[in-house]
Amino acid sequence: MPGSSLSFGRTLVFAPHPDDEVLGAGGTIARLASEGEEVFVAVVTEGKPPAFDPAEVARTQAEAKEAHRALGVKETFWLRLPAAQLAEMAHVTVNAALLELVRRLAPQTVLLPFVGDMHMDHQLTFASALVACRPHQAEFPKLILAYETLSETNWNAPYLSPAFAPNVFVDISDYREAKLKAMQMFASQLREAPHERSIETLSALATLRGATVLRRAAEAFVLVRHVV
Amino acid sequence: MPGSSLSFGRTLVFAPHPDDEVLGAGGTIARLASEGEEVFVAVVTEGKPPAFDPAEVARTQAEAKEAHRALGVKETFWLRLPAAQLAEMAHVTVNAALLELVRRLAPQTVLLPFVGDMHMDHQLTFASALVACRPHQAEFPKLILAYETLSETNWNAPYLSPAFAPNVFVDISDYREAKLKAMQMFASQLREAPHERSIETLSALATLRGATVLRRAAEAFVLVRHVV
Amino acid sequence: MPGSSLSFGRTLVFAPHPDDEVLGAGGTIARLASEGEEVFVAVVTEGKPPAFDPAEVARTQAEAKEAHRALGVKETFWLRLPAAQLAEMAHVTVNAALLELVRRLAPQTVLLPFVGDMHMDHQLTFASALVACRPHQAEFPKLILAYETLSETNWNAPYLSPAFAPNVFVDISDYREAKLKAMQMFASQLREAPHERSIETLSALATLRGATVLRRAAEAFVLVRHVV
Amino acid sequence: MPGSSLSFGRTLVFAPHPDDEVLGAGGTIARLASEGEEVFVAVVTEGKPPAFDPAEVARTQAEAKEAHRALGVKETFWLRLPAAQLAEMAHVTVNAALLELVRRLAPQTVLLPFVGDMHMDHQLTFASALVACRPHQAEFPKLILAYETLSETNWNAPYLSPAFAPNVFVDISDYREAKLKAMQMFASQLREAPHERSIETLSALATLRGATVLRRAAEAFVLVRHVV
Amino acid sequence: MPGSSLSFGRTLVFAPHPDDEVLGAGGTIARLASEGEEVFVAVVTEGKPPAFDPAEVARTQAEAKEAHRALGVKETFWLRLPAAQLAEMAHVTVNAALLELVRRLAPQTVLLPFVGDMHMDHQLTFASALVACRPHQAEFPKLILAYETLSETNWNAPYLSPAFAPNVFVDISDYREAKLKAMQMFASQLREAPHERSIETLSALATLRGATVLRRAAEAFVLVRHVV
Amino acid sequence: MPGSSLSFGRTLVFAPHPDDEVLGAGGTIARLASEGEEVFVAVVTEGKPPAFDPAEVARTQAEAKEAHRALGVKETFWLRLPAAQLAEMAHVTVNAALLELVRRLAPQTVLLPFVGDMHMDHQLTFASALVACRPHQAEFPKLILAYETLSETNWNAPYLSPAFAPNVFVDISDYREAKLKAMQMFASQLREAPHERSIETLSALATLRGATVLRRAAEAFVLVRHVV
């Protein structure tokens, strides 16, 4: 029987900071990898001294590596732009870093942080990634989705910043546990409930996003562009 | 120490259909009642034969009475406009029914279904309630809030219908159980997970809305108007 | 090499009036049919006397049948609700008519007119179709897209009605001619340029929508919901 | 020296109820008339018994006639659709009434109530007028502006209904008094301050809208469409 | 009789430049102080030479001190970031300056300039204040409101920048004179009517905002977040 | 017979980079010049080495001069701010450069790139031009319009960045050829179809924008402000 189906193909996930990719798309990454797709993660920033303690930075990066391995990420790229300072970088520099990766990997699908997130690094990653994905080159990503990030997306100003109103739902019923486990590997970033960045909240979000489309768990996205 | 505080005063909750008031504001109702406020519920519609089975309608109304009693509702009003047919009613008739109640009760706070809900009865209840609450009479409600309703609010069209982007959060950490119990009394309306209108989803929503503001559970609203 | 791909599966196109389906999605219909998908069209309304001349109505329906055959439509359904009077119908009646068809065909993909179109029949077809596609039944459409209709979508009020800001582009480079031919079969509905509902304008739109994503021709849609 | 200038040409003002045209555009009407333009007013509705007292209706219409004469209106048309019941009319009937007038007068400019006003008669007058002004006939209005109405525009739901964010400002520095006098002729509709529909508020609004563009008084509009 | 009431508690007002706090919230400050609340003002920027004349800067600061004393401000903080150059500061620096103050004062209520104002200093003060008020620390402000600023808020691009659509109205009927007097103390910033930043316009705005909710004078705000 | 008419008066077009003014407003420039208006173009940026090759920059500027002459531009101003680096400039510097020109020329009409364009130079040109056009000086531009730019406007994020929903249409039926010829002079910027920045796409856009208002060709704009 003819059914609809979407395969993401080679997929690149941009994470402004390590853990964003798991909070927003960890279940999707696990599902794609399990279905045989190549999934890449690009961590855009890195905490620089003196604002950030190198030992802490190294610890978080180690957590990320462990989490990515567990999710089945094929390769992680560290762009090492300065964390919390993307707004101080020349935009062409950020654009170029992301564009170079998009050209090299030629992903069919790109996952982005949401432009309405509170953190400027998220907003600027979104903007530069859109430039890197412009549909005017022979190879450009055909599917671009923005994910939500607990402790960012819900803290911006309602009705004054762009609303995260999801229109794409990826069923992760079989990957909820993989996602939560990957997040638990980010011990340095996790908080105790009722903080938003807690396992309990992340699990509740998966339940809610799933229930909206009659699934036990889902991750929700806003579509930026899909070329079919 | 000087702290901010908000008391809702006498409160009227408009429910297009029985159970909307519990899904959207059950915890807030329980908290307000427990804090000594008078809370009224107005059920706007009633299923009419032949589209609705009178026995089913009676059953749901009995469930509502039980749930309202459990939550501490002071009185329930049954406006008995025809369910799923508000759009076929003369608008002045709907306006008049809601206005009469607002005039009689002179509530300080009014809770409404969300104008962006998928169901036209929700949209029209919102519109008529706004007319009933116009700030041009000596007594008018000073605080108007719109609640979200699982199995309605999330099923409309993202970015094409008004987004529910909550800006008011009522802490119901101590009233989550009361809310869920009240919903369980609506056996005729409850569904099994992963349906949105299930206890699991309702609980997940309370966790998520709470976590956004560092609370164990909350109900979220969109502010329509507040006169201080 | 892993590439992204989307197959629409069994597809149902709702047309408020005959020719909307061709103006908005004629190329996509032709492409899907050519790729082996089953495509159905449901014409929601029919002009009723005395407002509409039965001979004219019959002529337009005959044109539609010819155009659908040419595009490869598997079957056309005539819901025969009164044209230009959907707002005077009970909403439950419109909802029921569309729901019955969605249940019977169990389409994976549904194409809708845009809610921001000027014509109320378009707005109400959109609203009722969304009800018919609610994601709470075992079978529900996984992909819902809204198409644009020349002589409707661009004539509403900018910034005051929902904007048609397309995020899904279907390449119809190989189906532009099929689309334009199908539209030419609607001789009763076609107008001379520079009227929007002319072959010249329809062709220009295909060029523009295509160029946005580096294709020779495309049809553009707004995503309502996609469950993957 | 070449300066920019806009002449409105023959102008038609749609008023859902008598006094809307003065509240929203009384100064502009006075200025246009004084500059030699032909200005027409179409009062869309009329209160019908038993909801409205015929004596009251007659009184308000007499007030309107006096106000229009004072402002220099060339002719007033009374469409006599039932007040507060436009939503109960067949839309084609409302469309036809407005279209007939647009065809007969062939105005170059049309002024409309705002689609985001709280009153459904305003929303539906806007919608039907847009249909009547569709740019597909040889003669169609080249400039369409929506005006604001005190006691309607500000009482809808912020961020949930369309915002009145004015982008056209008509200098009425020399016509403020004419506007206020015309409004005073509507004794039956005027209220005492601090009601919004008072002379004090109307004057304050003229001051504010003027000051935004360095004028002593202005009326503000939202542009719907301008063809140059 | 149970009535609704809101007390703001300890309140902090962020002013990008001296006079913004009076233009947007002078009446509210006077009312809160008169009701016994502690109100603090933080002036975020200071004009730096050579762009600004130190004597002028000193004069304006002296005016601010006089105005604040008159309104009953408990203490004024001078953050002394460079005026008209917030966009050139590292964002973490602006964030840190505002966060330090929020932590020190632990206000229950924070008043902000509006993110849609034309001046980048206003936009960036809004953004950094939101970061400083993130609801993830034990103490965070429970009520966040954005005020409007004549000569900024109305000069941005309608429908392209966020609209100021007020949903919170603070009755300042008894504090209009206090507000206008405080503004008159800012002789260096005041302009003659019909400039927006004039006493006449400020008074007209108070009348208009009041009339919307049946008060003789009000200040209007957009709610950012309220935790109850 | 009284007709509506708009004359733009002395007109200034801001182009972030050479060719934007032709893509967005080339036909309007040609028409205005032909009707006797003085039209000026300000090219805001210039590619700087090493990012840009001076020979390439010189070539594009020569193309611009030729195109401007062909269109009838009275004078072209080269502001020579660094291309792709406006975000790295102090905002006051950009503001000052644009303000100086607005003061010197005192244009009645200003045409701007659209704030929702993907390129930051476009966004910042829009923002600074709005500052330069603030309506608080004796002479300020009475009409401000934003134009669309192929290969920028359609590549931003639908529903997340401001939508280009045109409400002003300038008939260029007699100037389409002049526009296309001027664009062909920009050989260094033109691309082959189906790239958006191609003659075919530009011509299709003119056809579409024209057909919306029953004209053979038009350029479409979003109104920012009009003072009449």
Side-chain angles (χ1 to χ4, degrees):
Chain A
M1 197 207 87
S4 86
S5 69
L6 170 67
S7 58
F8 279 51
R10 182 182 290 171
T11 297
L12 172 59
V13 186
F14 281 111
H17 318 98
D19 85 346
D20 293 326
E21 73 286 9
V22 176
L23 287 166
T28 299
I29 292 171
R31 177 175 156 188
L32 291 176
S34 142
E35 293 174 357
E37 305 286 13
E38 295 180 331
V39 184
F40 302 90
V41 172
V43 177
V44 176
T45 71
E46 177 179 81
K48 306 290 190 189
F52 294 85
D53 170 10
E56 275 301 310
V57 169
R59 182 186 165 202
T60 303
Q61 293 182 349
E63 293 169 345
K65 284 169 193 163
E66 186 191 1
H68 293 180
R69 195 163 34 229
L71 293 172
V73 169
K74 186 174 171 71
E75 187 173 353
T76 301
F77 299 89
W78 305 90
L79 304 187
R80 302 191 195 283
L81 298 170
Q85 297 184 51
L86 281 194
E88 276 68 65
M89 302 286 296
H91 285 295
V92 291
T93 306
V94 184
N95 290 351
L98 274 59
L99 178 57
E100 192 278 329
L101 199 60
V102 168
R103 285 214 174 118
R104 178 142 51 104
L105 296 176
Q108 292 299 301
T109 295
V110 171
L111 307 185
L112 304 175
F114 186 61
V115 67
D117 285 358
M118 158 170 276
H119 203 301
M120 282 221 174
D121 285 355
H122 287 230
Q123 299 170 26
L124 291 167
T125 297
F126 179 94
S128 287
L130 232 62
V131 172
C133 296
R134 275 182 299 177
H136 72 309
Q137 311 154 94
E139 283 300 312
F140 64 85
K142 301 304 177 292
L143 176 62
I144 306 176
L145 295 168
Y147 57 79
E148 62 185 322
T149 307
L150 286 177
S151 72
E152 289 296 346
T153 306
N154 295 329
W155 287 352
N156 216 328
Y159 299 110
L160 304 179
S161 54
F164 187 85
N167 45 21
V168 176
F169 297 81
V170 175
D171 184 345
I172 61 161
S173 297
D174 298 339
Y175 303 90
R176 177 205 291 257
E177 288 316 307
K179 173 178 186 162
L180 298 182
K181 270 185 198 158
M183 191 59 214
Q184 273 163 326
M185 293 168 184
F186 276 103
S188 70
Q189 305 303 311
L190 257 190
R191 296 292 176 271
E192 288 296 310
H195 194 291
E196 259 210 5
R197 207 161 61 237
S198 66
I199 292 296
E200 288 83 346
T201 312
L202 199 56
S203 184
L205 181 64
T207 295
L208 177 66
R209 294 312 190 193
T212 296
V213 293
L214 207 67
R215 299 289 180 257
R216 281 178 294 117
E219 282 172 343
F221 301 86
V222 170
L223 178 67
V224 175
R225 192 185 301 124
H226 196 174
V227 180
V228 182
Chain B
M1 197 205 91
S4 85
S5 69
L6 170 66
S7 58
F8 279 52
R10 182 182 291 169
T11 297
L12 173 60
V13 186
F14 281 111
H17 317 98
D19 86 346
D20 292 327
E21 74 285 9
V22 176
L23 288 165
T28 299
I29 293 172
R31 177 174 157 190
L32 291 176
S34 143
E35 293 174 357
E37 304 287 13
E38 294 179 331
V39 183
F40 302 90
V41 172
V43 177
V44 176
T45 71
E46 177 179 80
K48 304 293 189 188
F52 294 84
D53 170 8
E56 275 301 311
V57 169
R59 183 185 164 200
T60 304
Q61 293 183 348
E63 293 169 346
K65 284 169 194 166
E66 187 190 359
H68 294 182
R69 196 162 33 229
L71 292 172
V73 170
K74 186 175 171 69
E75 187 174 353
T76 301
F77 299 90
W78 306 88
L79 304 188
R80 302 192 194 284
L81 297 171
Q85 297 184 50
L86 281 193
E88 277 68 64
M89 301 286 297
H91 285 296
V92 290
T93 305
V94 184
N95 291 352
L98 274 58
L99 178 57
E100 193 278 330
L101 200 60
V102 168
R103 285 213 173 119
R104 179 141 50 104
L105 296 176
Q108 293 299 301
T109 296
V110 172
L111 307 186
L112 302 176
F114 185 61
V115 68
D117 286 359
M118 159 170 275
H119 203 301
M120 282 222 173
D121 285 355
H122 286 230
Q123 299 172 25
L124 291 167
T125 295
F126 180 93
S128 288
L130 232 63
V131 172
C133 295
R134 277 182 299 179
H136 71 309
Q137 312 155 90
E139 283 301 311
F140 64 84
K142 301 304 176 292
L143 176 61
I144 306 176
L145 296 167
Y147 57 80
E148 61 185 323
T149 306
L150 286 177
S151 72
E152 289 295 345
T153 307
N154 295 330
W155 288 352
N156 217 330
Y159 298 108
L160 303 180
S161 55
F164 187 86
N167 44 22
V168 176
F169 297 80
V170 175
D171 184 344
I172 61 162
S173 297
D174 299 337
Y175 303 91
R176 177 205 291 258
E177 288 315 308
K179 174 179 185 163
L180 298 182
K181 271 184 197 157
M183 191 59 214
Q184 273 163 326
M185 293 169 185
F186 275 103
S188 69
Q189 305 302 312
L190 259 190
R191 297 289 175 273
E192 289 295 310
H195 194 290
E196 260 211 3
R197 207 160 63 239
S198 66
I199 291 296
E200 288 83 345
T201 312
L202 199 55
S203 185
L205 181 64
T207 295
L208 177 67
R209 294 311 190 194
T212 296
V213 293
L214 206 66
R215 299 291 180 256
R216 282 178 292 116
E219 282 172 343
F221 301 87
V222 170
L223 179 68
V224 175
R225 192 186 300 126
H226 197 173
V227 181
V228 182
Chain C
M1 195 206 89
S4 87
S5 69
L6 170 66
S7 57
F8 279 52
R10 181 182 291 170
T11 297
L12 172 60
V13 185
F14 281 111
H17 317 97
D19 86 346
D20 294 325
E21 74 286 9
V22 176
L23 288 166
T28 300
I29 292 172
R31 177 175 157 190
L32 291 176
S34 142
E35 293 174 357
E37 303 287 13
E38 295 178 330
V39 183
F40 302 90
V41 172
V43 177
V44 176
T45 70
E46 176 178 82
K48 305 291 189 188
F52 294 84
D53 170 9
E56 275 301 310
V57 169
R59 183 187 165 200
T60 305
Q61 293 182 348
E63 292 169 347
K65 283 170 194 164
E66 187 190 1
H68 293 182
R69 195 163 34 231
L71 293 172
V73 170
K74 185 175 172 70
E75 187 174 352
T76 301
F77 299 89
W78 305 89
L79 304 189
R80 301 192 196 283
L81 298 171
Q85 297 184 50
L86 281 193
E88 277 66 66
M89 301 287 296
H91 285 296
V92 290
T93 305
V94 184
N95 290 351
L98 274 58
L99 178 57
E100 194 277 332
L101 200 60
V102 168
R103 284 211 175 121
R104 179 140 51 103
L105 296 177
Q108 292 299 301
T109 295
V110 172
L111 307 186
L112 303 176
F114 186 60
V115 68
D117 286 359
M118 157 169 277
H119 203 301
M120 282 222 173
D121 286 354
H122 286 231
Q123 299 172 24
L124 291 167
T125 296
F126 180 93
S128 287
L130 233 62
V131 172
C133 296
R134 276 181 300 178
H136 71 309
Q137 314 155 91
E139 283 301 312
F140 64 85
K142 302 302 176 292
L143 176 61
I144 306 177
L145 296 168
Y147 56 79
E148 61 185 323
T149 306
L150 286 178
S151 73
E152 289 295 344
T153 306
N154 294 330
W155 287 353
N156 217 330
Y159 298 110
L160 304 180
S161 55
F164 187 85
N167 45 21
V168 175
F169 297 80
V170 174
D171 184 345
I172 60 162
S173 297
D174 298 339
Y175 302 91
R176 177 206 290 258
E177 288 315 307
K179 174 180 184 160
L180 297 183
K181 271 184 197 156
M183 192 59 214
Q184 272 163 326
M185 294 169 183
F186 275 103
S188 69
Q189 306 302 312
L190 258 190
R191 298 289 176 273
E192 290 296 309
H195 194 290
E196 260 211 2
R197 205 161 64 239
S198 66
I199 291 295
E200 289 83 345
T201 313
L202 199 56
S203 185
L205 181 64
T207 296
L208 177 66
R209 294 313 190 193
T212 296
V213 293
L214 207 65
R215 299 290 180 257
R216 282 177 293 116
E219 282 172 344
F221 301 86
V222 170
L223 179 67
V224 175
R225 192 186 299 127
H226 198 175
V227 180
V228 182
Chain D
M1 194 206 91
S4 87
S5 69
L6 170 67
S7 58
F8 279 52
R10 182 181 291 171
T11 297
L12 172 60
V13 186
F14 282 111
H17 317 99
D19 86 346
D20 292 326
E21 74 285 10
V22 176
L23 289 165
T28 300
I29 292 171
R31 176 175 158 191
L32 292 176
S34 142
E35 293 173 357
E37 304 287 13
E38 295 179 330
V39 183
F40 302 89
V41 172
V43 177
V44 176
T45 70
E46 176 179 82
K48 306 291 189 187
F52 293 85
D53 171 8
E56 275 301 311
V57 169
R59 183 187 166 201
T60 304
Q61 293 182 347
E63 293 169 346
K65 285 169 193 165
E66 187 191 0
H68 294 181
R69 195 163 34 228
L71 293 171
V73 169
K74 185 173 172 71
E75 187 174 351
T76 302
F77 299 89
W78 306 89
L79 304 188
R80 301 192 195 284
L81 298 171
Q85 296 184 52
L86 281 193
E88 277 67 65
M89 301 287 296
H91 285 295
V92 290
T93 305
V94 184
N95 291 350
L98 274 59
L99 178 57
E100 192 279 330
L101 200 60
V102 169
R103 284 211 174 121
R104 179 141 51 105
L105 297 176
Q108 292 299 301
T109 295
V110 172
L111 307 186
L112 303 176
F114 185 60
V115 68
D117 285 0
M118 158 169 276
H119 203 301
M120 283 222 173
D121 285 356
H122 287 230
Q123 299 171 25
L124 292 167
T125 295
F126 180 93
S128 287
L130 233 63
V131 171
C133 296
R134 276 181 300 178
H136 72 308
Q137 313 154 93
E139 283 301 313
F140 64 86
K142 300 306 176 291
L143 176 61
I144 306 176
L145 296 167
Y147 56 79
E148 62 186 322
T149 307
L150 286 177
S151 72
E152 290 295 345
T153 306
N154 295 330
W155 287 353
N156 216 330
Y159 298 109
L160 304 179
S161 54
F164 188 85
N167 44 21
V168 176
F169 296 81
V170 174
D171 184 343
I172 61 162
S173 297
D174 298 339
Y175 303 90
R176 177 206 290 257
E177 288 315 308
K179 173 179 185 162
L180 298 182
K181 271 185 198 157
M183 191 59 214
Q184 273 163 326
M185 294 169 184
F186 275 103
S188 69
Q189 305 302 312
L190 259 190
R191 298 289 177 271
E192 289 296 310
H195 194 290
E196 260 210 6
R197 206 160 63 238
S198 66
I199 292 296
E200 289 83 345
T201 313
L202 199 55
S203 185
L205 182 63
T207 296
L208 177 66
R209 294 313 190 193
T212 296
V213 293
L214 206 66
R215 300 289 179 258
R216 281 178 294 116
E219 282 172 343
F221 300 86
V222 170
L223 178 67
V224 175
R225 192 186 299 126
H226 197 174
V227 180
V228 182
Chain E
M1 196 206 89
S4 87
S5 70
L6 170 66
S7 58
F8 280 52
R10 181 182 290 171
T11 297
L12 172 60
V13 186
F14 282 110
H17 318 98
D19 85 346
D20 293 326
E21 73 287 9
V22 176
L23 288 166
T28 300
I29 293 171
R31 177 176 156 188
L32 292 176
S34 143
E35 293 174 356
E37 304 287 13
E38 296 179 330
V39 184
F40 302 90
V41 172
V43 177
V44 176
T45 71
E46 177 179 80
K48 306 291 189 188
F52 294 85
D53 170 9
E56 276 301 310
V57 169
R59 182 185 165 202
T60 304
Q61 293 182 349
E63 294 169 344
K65 282 169 194 164
E66 186 190 2
H68 293 181
R69 194 163 34 230
L71 293 172
V73 169
K74 186 174 171 70
E75 187 174 352
T76 301
F77 299 89
W78 305 89
L79 304 188
R80 301 191 196 284
L81 297 170
Q85 298 184 50
L86 281 194
E88 277 67 66
M89 302 285 297
H91 285 294
V92 291
T93 306
V94 184
N95 291 350
L98 274 58
L99 178 57
E100 193 278 330
L101 200 60
V102 169
R103 284 214 174 118
R104 177 141 52 103
L105 296 175
Q108 293 299 301
T109 296
V110 172
L111 306 186
L112 303 175
F114 186 61
V115 68
D117 285 359
M118 158 169 276
H119 203 301
M120 282 221 175
D121 285 355
H122 286 231
Q123 299 170 25
L124 292 167
T125 297
F126 180 93
S128 288
L130 232 63
V131 171
C133 295
R134 275 182 300 177
H136 72 308
Q137 313 155 92
E139 283 302 312
F140 64 86
K142 301 305 176 292
L143 176 61
I144 306 176
L145 295 167
Y147 57 79
E148 62 185 322
T149 306
L150 285 177
S151 72
E152 289 295 346
T153 307
N154 295 329
W155 287 352
N156 217 329
Y159 299 109
L160 304 180
S161 55
F164 187 85
N167 45 21
V168 175
F169 296 82
V170 174
D171 185 344
I172 61 162
S173 297
D174 298 339
Y175 303 90
R176 176 205 291 257
E177 288 316 308
K179 173 178 185 162
L180 298 182
K181 272 185 196 155
M183 192 59 215
Q184 273 164 326
M185 295 168 182
F186 276 103
S188 69
Q189 305 303 312
L190 257 190
R191 297 290 176 272
E192 289 295 309
H195 194 290
E196 260 211 5
R197 207 161 62 238
S198 66
I199 292 296
E200 289 82 346
T201 312
L202 199 55
S203 186
L205 182 63
T207 296
L208 177 66
R209 295 311 191 192
T212 296
V213 294
L214 207 66
R215 300 288 181 259
R216 281 178 294 115
E219 282 172 342
F221 301 86
V222 169
L223 178 68
V224 175
R225 193 185 299 125
H226 197 174
V227 180
V228 181
Chain F
M1 196 205 88
S4 87
S5 69
L6 170 67
S7 58
F8 279 52
R10 181 181 291 170
T11 297
L12 173 59
V13 186
F14 281 111
H17 318 98
D19 85 345
D20 293 326
E21 74 286 9
V22 176
L23 288 166
T28 300
I29 293 171
R31 176 175 158 190
L32 292 176
S34 142
E35 293 174 356
E37 304 288 13
E38 295 179 329
V39 183
F40 302 91
V41 172
V43 177
V44 177
T45 71
E46 176 178 81
K48 305 290 189 189
F52 294 85
D53 170 9
E56 275 302 310
V57 169
R59 182 186 166 202
T60 304
Q61 293 182 349
E63 293 168 345
K65 283 169 194 166
E66 185 190 2
H68 294 182
R69 194 163 35 229
L71 292 172
V73 170
K74 186 174 171 69
E75 186 174 353
T76 301
F77 299 89
W78 306 89
L79 305 188
R80 301 192 196 284
L81 297 171
Q85 297 184 51
L86 282 193
E88 276 68 64
M89 302 286 295
H91 286 295
V92 291
T93 306
V94 184
N95 290 350
L98 274 58
L99 179 56
E100 194 277 331
L101 200 60
V102 168
R103 285 213 175 119
R104 177 142 51 104
L105 296 176
Q108 293 299 301
T109 296
V110 172
L111 307 187
L112 304 175
F114 186 60
V115 68
D117 285 359
M118 157 170 276
H119 202 302
M120 282 222 174
D121 285 356
H122 286 231
Q123 300 171 25
L124 292 167
T125 296
F126 179 93
S128 288
L130 233 60
V131 172
C133 296
R134 276 182 299 177
H136 72 308
Q137 313 155 92
E139 284 301 313
F140 64 86
K142 301 304 176 293
L143 176 61
I144 307 175
L145 296 167
Y147 57 79
E148 61 185 323
T149 306
L150 286 178
S151 73
E152 288 296 344
T153 306
N154 295 329
W155 288 352
N156 217 329
Y159 298 110
L160 304 179
S161 56
F164 186 85
N167 45 21
V168 176
F169 296 81
V170 174
D171 184 345
I172 61 161
S173 297
D174 297 340
Y175 303 91
R176 177 206 289 258
E177 288 316 307
K179 173 179 185 162
L180 298 182
K181 271 185 198 158
M183 191 59 216
Q184 273 163 326
M185 294 168 182
F186 276 103
S188 69
Q189 306 303 312
L190 257 191
R191 297 291 176 272
E192 289 295 310
H195 194 291
E196 259 210 7
R197 209 162 61 238
S198 66
I199 292 295
E200 288 84 344
T201 311
L202 199 56
S203 185
L205 181 64
T207 295
L208 177 66
R209 294 311 190 193
T212 296
V213 294
L214 206 66
R215 299 289 181 258
R216 281 179 293 116
E219 282 172 344
F221 301 86
V222 170
L223 178 68
V224 175
R225 193 186 299 124
H226 197 175
V227 181
V228 181

